[in-house]
Amino acid sequence: MRALLLVDLQNDFMPFGALPVADGDAVVPVANELIPRFSLVVASQDWHPHDHGSFASVHPGTNPGDVIDLGGVSQVLWPDHCVQNTPGASFHAGLDIGGVDHVVRKGTDPAVDSYSAFFDNDRRRDTGLAAYLEERGAEELVIMGLATDYCVRATVLDACGLGFGVTVIEDGCRGVDVAPGDSERAFADMRSAGARVIPAAELT
Ligand code: VGL
Ligand code: ZN
């Protein structure tokens, strides 16, 4: 069975949000077109406490873009984003959320970030997503969303490592590109990990 995994289609990652991804809203129609084609659809949601350790605002003297050590893991600092129960953390209003079967929240521990929808960045905690998918017999995952170079990349690499067959919808992803080329390198990393990267039009 094949499941669709929509990564972080939340207001704060849209061009009008706190951590804007250029053209991020262009992927919402791609998601809406794919949703009815799947019997199982999961959406991840970046869901941070207001004092999350990935926020530059909680580390005096730092700015977004700085890199610090957070509990032994290298951490890029971000503007405050996707704070639990705020409009920025909500899914884009245009997303067909009625077609989503399950939401997996991540980044809830203030001490560690979670780019992947499967594991925290220190890989100590599991979100429960792998067990959820395995219980429902999902062996193949089709993955798209935001941001290509952070949460999509980490989610795809973990999915490949967990043994899922992974297809990434290239035009269903957009990246932050802190450094130019980050998204292209992220797609290359996903391919190296065994993922198939294709445009939505080629998904059969
Ligand atoms: C993300 C940076 C910080 C993402 C989440 O969804 O790619 N990026 N938090
Ligand atoms: Zn985040």
Side-chain angles (χ1 to χ4, degrees):
M1 197 266 277
R2 189 167 76 166
L4 177 64
L5 177 52
L6 304 171
V7 178
D8 298 4
L9 298 180
Q10 296 166 259
N11 288 326
D12 273 340
F13 299 123
M14 299 297 161
F16 50 82
L19 202 171
V21 177
D23 208 28
D25 44 357
V27 309
V28 174
V30 179
N32 288 342
E33 214 210 296
L34 293 180
I35 287 169
R37 298 173 55 185
F38 288 80
S39 57
L40 183 62
V41 181
V42 178
S44 67
Q45 191 172 30
D46 212 33
W47 193 249
H48 296 310
H50 68 89
D51 58 350
H52 193 258
S54 73
F55 296 170
S57 63
V58 310
H59 305 282
T62 66
N63 293 299
D66 291 352
V67 179
I68 64 157
D69 176 286
L70 186 65
V73 181
S74 171
Q75 174 70 51
V76 180
L77 295 178
W78 302 106
D80 294 14
H81 65 279
C82 297
V83 174
Q84 296 172 4
N85 303 302
T86 65
S90 295
F91 291 108
H92 186 289
L95 180 68
D96 176 17
I97 199 72
V100 174
D101 299 294
H102 180 66
V103 174
V104 56
R105 289 176 166 168
K106 61 186 183 63
T108 56
D109 179 348
V112 61
D113 210 354
S114 185
Y115 291 146
S116 164
F118 292 98
F119 302 103
D120 283 351
N121 290 1
D122 64 7
R123 304 190 66 84
R124 260 176 250 158
R125 269 212 291 181
D126 179 317
T127 61
L129 177 59
Y132 175 90
L133 293 168
E134 281 157 17
E135 276 163 27
R136 283 155 188 82
E139 289 151 354
E140 304 280 325
L141 297 181
V142 175
I143 302 178
M144 58 155 284
L146 306 173
T148 310
D149 37 357
Y150 289 93
C151 291
V152 174
R153 176 182 181 278
T155 299
V156 167
L157 297 189
D158 280 345
C160 290
L162 286 163
F164 292 99
V166 180
T167 300
V168 181
I169 303 299
E170 191 163 16
D171 50 333
C173 299
R174 293 292 187 281
V176 181
D177 289 308
V178 171
D182 279 353
S183 290
E184 279 317 306
R185 282 186 287 275
F187 282 127
D189 293 343
M190 296 181 223
R191 286 192 176 95
S192 301
R196 180 169 72 124
V197 181
I198 60 167
E202 283 176 23
L203 187 73
T204 51

